[in-house]
């Protein structure tokens, strides 16, 4: 939490960056460096490697998006209508709730 407007600029940048990563993709993405079958996703790995260098050159922060994988469940038929389907999740509902 930034308490003073004279706080170190790197602390402010880190706080803004952390909130951006949390809210990325409407909170429906994760960072994934592998495919579903376990193979390495080179674009994701390169994006993450360049993102790690963001302290030296800020425009590299945008490359983190290369490592995001969507986690939303979207189902449409050929007519772009919402079909009837069911899925079950063993996760507790609070895991999907927005923070206060």
């Amino acid at each position: 939490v930034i308490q003073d407007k004279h706080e170190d600029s790197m602390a402010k940048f880190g706080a803004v960056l952390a909130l951006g990563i949390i809210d990325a993709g409407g909170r429906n993405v994760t960072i994934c460096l592998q495919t579903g079958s376990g193979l390495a996703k080179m674009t994701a790995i390169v994006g993450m490697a360049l993102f790690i260098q963001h302290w030296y050159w800020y425009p590299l922060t945008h490359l983190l998006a290369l490592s995001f994988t969507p986690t939303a469940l979207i189902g449409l038929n050929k007519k772009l209508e919402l079909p009837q389907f069911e899925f079950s999740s063993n996760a507790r509902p609070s895991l999907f709730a927005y923070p206060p």
Side-chain angles (χ1 to χ4, degrees), residues 84-99:
Q84 292 291 328
F85 62 92
E86 293 183 21
F87 68 95
S88 62
S89 173
N90 294 327
R92 61 188 188 281
S94 63
L95 184 65
F96 302 102
Y98 285 100

Side-chain angles (χ1 to χ4, degrees), residues 20-88:
I21 292 171
I22 289 172
D23 291 333
R27 297 184 183 226
N28 288 322
V29 296
T30 58
I31 294 175
C32 184
L33 303 178
Q34 293 180 341
T35 63
S37 60
L39 299 174
K41 289 186 353 185
M42 289 310 288
T43 56
I45 293 170
V46 169
M48 182 59 79
L50 290 174
F51 167 73
I52 291 171
Q53 303 301 317
H54 76 276
W55 295 113
Y56 301 109
W57 198 45
Y58 294 129
L60 294 176
T61 56
H62 298 288
L63 295 172
L64 179 64
L66 292 174
S67 63
F68 289 157
T69 300
T71 58
L73 179 65
I74 301 170
L76 299 173
N77 61 15
K78 290 181 183 179
K79 296 179 183 177
L80 298 178
E81 297 172 338
L82 185 64
Q84 292 291 328
F85 62 92
E86 293 183 21
F87 68 95
S88 62

